Amino acid sequence: GPKVLQIPSHQIIDMGQMVTLNCDPVSNHLYFYWYKQILGQQMEFLVNFYNGKVMEKSKLFKDQFSVERPDGSYFTLKIQPTALEDSAVYFCASSLGDRANERLFFGHGTKLSVL
Amino acid sequence: QQQVRQSPQSLTVWEGETAILNCSYEDSTFNYFPWYQQFPGEGPALLISIRSVSDKKEDGRFTIFFNKREKKLSLHITDSQPGDSATYFCAASAETGGYKVVFGSGTRLLVSP
């Protein structure tokens, strides 16, 4: 089936550094999302993105966070600077449309460890 | 405030038994409820979903029961198999401008052979 690829699978960085998480969404999908998961628990919505713009973001999407998808390449989540509490698994997802019953396709996640 | 709540946090059943996973929600504008299944090291994958106009949705061994008045739903897994061992997320969304799926905290299911 359709696959969302996330690169890298694990990233270890020092607190205060910048990190970029990369996502290659399903090829014909138009809507992109980032979710944050800590300790295999609740999936927390961060942001959704369409047509080059952030459509909606949660309180977890701090000012240090930014997203972009330049020229149809990777959909990226950048954190600058990172903090200890940013350690989590970050899941990228994509969907074809934005209706409420759209199916989200998730990647395998990037585990971010901030030391 | 947690908009989607799940119970129990973890559940162990024997192979062949029926596992019952519960979910409740706060926001009455939610009208679509997907259940996602997540195996360790992977992202969640859509398992089954229901719209608020229905009170039951069945797909093989998986059935969702939905009670709109009480804002509750449950996922029943009949004839549970060890391969069903995973974390199950109840989620919800609404067609009210923008689009986001709100996830519950998950139920970790273990099916013992």
Side-chain angles (χ1 to χ4, degrees):
Chain A
K3 291 192 182 299
V4 174
L5 300 178
Q6 289 189 243
I7 302 167
S9 57
H10 193 184
Q11 181 90 46
I12 302 173
I13 60 170
D14 291 323
M15 183 178 62
Q17 282 189 318
M18 181 193 76
V19 68
T20 300
L21 308 183
N22 299 296
C23 172
D24 188 10
V26 177
S27 60
N28 61 336
H29 284 186
L30 301 175
Y31 296 82
F32 313 114
Y33 314 81
W34 284 102
Y35 281 80
K36 178 181 180 181
Q37 186 177 46
I38 297 177
L39 298 177
Q41 295 299 312
Q42 187 156 1
M43 295 281 289
E44 301 275 12
F45 170 81
L46 289 177
V47 66
N48 59 14
F49 188 86
Y50 168 72
N51 197 27
K53 299 176 184 177
V54 170
M55 303 299 291
E56 190 170 4
K57 58 184 181 180
S58 72
K59 293 179 181 178
L60 294 178
F61 194 78
K62 305 179 295 184
D63 291 342
Q64 298 89 328
F65 288 30
S66 63
V67 291
E68 65 176 355
R69 193 185 187 209
D71 300 324
S73 61
Y74 287 146
F75 175 51
T76 63
L77 173 64
K78 182 183 294 184
I79 309 174
Q80 181 179 24
T82 51
L84 294 176
E85 60 266 26
D86 295 331
S87 294
V89 179
Y90 290 83
F91 287 95
C92 173
S94 68
S95 66
L96 186 58
D98 68 341
R99 295 176 304 171
N101 60 350
E102 286 287 347
R103 175 178 178 177
L104 295 183
F105 290 83
F106 285 86
H108 283 203
T110 293
K111 183 177 181 180
L112 177 63
S113 299
V114 181
L115 306 179
Chain B
Q1 180 187 4
Q2 199 167 342
Q3 296 187 57
V4 178
R5 289 188 171 86
Q6 288 187 248
S7 64
Q9 186 174 5
S10 63
L11 175 66
T12 300
V13 299
W14 294 106
E15 183 175 358
E17 290 186 332
T18 296
I20 300 176
L21 289 65
N22 300 302
C23 179
S24 63
Y25 62 98
E26 302 283 336
D27 192 338
S28 57
T29 65
F30 287 149
N31 58 2
Y32 175 67
F33 303 90
W35 285 81
Y36 282 81
Q37 179 187 55
Q38 184 181 30
F39 294 106
E42 297 184 9
L46 180 66
L47 178 67
I48 186 173
S49 63
I50 192 169
R51 303 197 71 168
S52 59
V53 294
S54 302
D55 56 14
K56 181 181 177 181
K57 177 75 173 292
E58 193 170 351
D59 184 358
R61 297 185 294 108
F62 301 91
T63 303
I64 299 174
F65 293 93
F66 180 68
N67 185 322
K68 187 174 183 178
R69 182 179 60 84
E70 295 186 7
K71 296 181 184 175
K72 292 182 178 179
L73 57 159
S74 60
L75 174 67
H76 291 223
I77 307 174
T78 58
D79 188 24
S80 296
Q81 301 298 309
D84 296 331
S85 297
T87 298
Y88 292 81
F89 290 99
C90 172
S93 63
E95 293 180 278
T96 52
Y99 172 57
K100 68 177 183 181
V101 178
V102 179
F103 283 75
S105 55
T107 292
R108 189 168 296 178
L109 174 67
L110 176 63
V111 181
S112 297

